[in-house]
Amino acid sequence: MPPADPSIRDATGGDIPTLALSGSFDAQTGADNGPYVARTLPNATVVTVPYEPHVVFATSKCAQQIAVSFFDTPDAADTQCLKGLEAPRFEIGPAPAPTG
């Protein structure tokens, strides 16, 4: 198999509207990848949905609303739903009983 052309590593560019949608709890690609990807896309909208994991649009109704609004109006995605999101409640169970 011959080596791939070095251009395969070139950053994607273009001026079409692009939505970079991330979840702030994404342990696979990380929310900081949204702005990184968008750096060469002048018409990109970067949105990080708090408290959500990887594949944010599958787990978040808010992310779904943002994506639909982006398709309807690519230059003005509606992100108002982000304001109503609340942090999840985390609980720590009791410590295990000592043995022996």
Side-chain angles (χ1 to χ4, degrees), residues 15-73:
D15 60 357
I16 63 169
T18 305
L19 177 63
L21 187 60
S22 304
S24 68
F25 286 175
D26 186 341
Q28 290 177 302
T29 55
D32 56 344
N33 281 321
Y36 177 76
V37 167
R39 75 192 190 288
T40 59
L41 302 168
N43 291 320
T45 299
V46 178
V47 178
T48 300
V49 181
Y51 322 119
E52 291 294 335
H54 193 67
V55 193
V56 65
F57 59 84
T59 58
S60 168
K61 294 287 185 197
C62 180
Q64 294 166 12
Q65 292 171 6
I66 292 167
V68 168
S69 76
F70 175 79
F71 289 127
D72 289 342
T73 314

Side-chain angles (χ1 to χ4, degrees), residues 73-89:
T73 314
D75 59 342
D78 183 359
T79 60
Q80 291 298 312
C81 60
L82 296 172
K83 294 179 182 176
L85 298 178
E86 295 182 10
R89 181 177 171 172

